[in-house]
């Protein structure tokens, strides 16, 4: 049971950071400042919404999302860790790892000099987590909410041997109509086409979406841009410490099958995920750390 009065006493910032009960019994934190608003679930340190001041929502959250302890939330910024996709050897383990469905604790909250708000979270080491990942590994997420959204996912290897992780910020971006957007920044990158048996291909030109799309772009570290003519805006995705970019839209059949996309929800979202997946998994030496950092910003598109 979350002690909201203790949380607010320790980390609340009046009128800016408030912890409260959220949907499905999840504890959430609401952030509001002069530059924008956001909501996050403590489970998974999961950014659910982000709306810069004067803009339409930038992060998509399904109207049919199901909220419950231990269940992943459809939309927002799920944290995939310490593996991406299915577990390499144990099929019964959850896809995309367990970080997004276990409790995290708040370890910091502050107002930055530019008026943005920074919240710091740490994954709580539990029996269940250790059973799935028997290594001494610390995971923190540092989220800055302002006119931009920044997330720094930090993995620290506190073990005596090296570890190899896959990770991703599996971000669902809100778009006017996915059929109208183009995604730039992945030109000439090799990718694994999961809609074609994982075949390795090469991207020519910008990425457009006209059917179920599920691709892991490898060796991709440049900024990505989601051009949305319907909203006359561009979402710029900057990243560091990520060598893969996953582009995903389930389209009609898959989204209906998944059951938590809502009526035609697939039309208003596209996932552009900053990741380390497939060939790009990351090995961290004992005592070392790895940062997967992103910064999302809106630019006008005239
Ligand atoms: O990142 C794309 C992907 O791996 C898709 O294959 C699809 O499974 C998607 O993630 C959603 O996965 P989830 O476990 O959140 O339902």
């Amino acid at each position: 049971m979350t002690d909201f009065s203790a949380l607010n006493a320790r980390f609340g910032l009046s009128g800016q950071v408030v912890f409260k009960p959220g949907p499905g019994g999840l504890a959430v934190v609401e952030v509001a400042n002069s530059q924008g608003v956001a909501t996050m679930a403590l489970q998974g340190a999961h950014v659910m919404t982000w709306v810069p001041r004067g803009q339409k929502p930038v992060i998509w959250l399904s109207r049919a999302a199901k909220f419950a302890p231990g269940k992943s939330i459809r939309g927002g910024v799920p944290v995939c860790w310490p593996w991406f996709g299915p577990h390499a050897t144990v099929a019964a383990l959850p896809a995309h790892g367990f970080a997004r469905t276990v409790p995290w604790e708040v370890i910091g909250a502050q107002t930055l000099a530019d008026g943005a708000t920074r919240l710091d979270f740490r994954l709580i080491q539990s029996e269940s987590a250790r059973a799935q990942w028997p290594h001494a590994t610390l995971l923190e997420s540092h989220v800055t909410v302002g006119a931009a959204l920044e997330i720094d996912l930090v993995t620290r290897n506190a073990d005596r041997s090296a570890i190899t992780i896959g990770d991703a910020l599996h971000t669902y971006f809100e778009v006017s109509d996915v059929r109208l957007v183009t995604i730039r920044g992945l030109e000439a990158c090799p990718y694994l086409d999961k809609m074609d048996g994982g075949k390795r291909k090469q991207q020519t030109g910008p990425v457009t979406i006209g059917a179920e799309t599920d691709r892991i772009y490898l060796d991709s570290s440049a900024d990505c841009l989601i051009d949305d003519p319907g909203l006359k805006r561009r979402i710029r995705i900057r990243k560091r410490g990520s060598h893969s970019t996953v582009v995903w839209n389930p389209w009609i059949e898959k989204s209906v099958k998944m059951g938590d996309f809502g009526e035609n929800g697939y039309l208003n979202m596209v996932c552009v995920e900053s990741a380390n997946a497939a060939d790009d998994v990351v090995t961290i030496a004992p005592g070392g750390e790895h940062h997967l950092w992103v910064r999302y910003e809106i630019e006008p598109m005239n």
Side-chain angles (χ1 to χ4, degrees), residues 19 116 167:
F19 297 87
D167 58 0

Side-chain angles (χ1 to χ4, degrees), residues 71-75 78 80 84-86 94-96 100 168 170-172 194-195 212-216 246-250 254 258 260-261 271 273:
K71 169 140 189 59
S72 59
I73 299 168
R74 182 65 62 203
C80 301
F84 181 85
H96 294 327
R100 62 179 173 165
H170 192 299
T171 306
Y172 290 72
K194 288 169 64 180
M195 300 312 299
E212 183 178 351
T213 305
D214 194 347
R215 301 175 182 176
I216 301 177
V246 180
V247 176
W248 178 59
N249 184 286
K254 178 64 85 59
M258 291 181 124
D260 55 2
F261 267 83
C271 282
E273 308 159 33

Side-chain angles (χ1 to χ4, degrees), residues 17 56 77 81 87 92 94 97 100 129 148 158 171 226 248 254 261:
V17 171
K56 293 243 189 292
V77 185
W81 185 92
H87 187 273
R100 62 179 173 165
T171 306
I226 303 173
W248 178 59
K254 178 64 85 59
F261 267 83

Side-chain angles (χ1 to χ4, degrees), residues 55-69:
Q55 290 286 349
K56 293 243 189 292
V58 180
I59 301 292
W60 178 85
L61 182 66
S62 171
R63 290 195 180 80
K66 300 185 177 83
F67 300 91

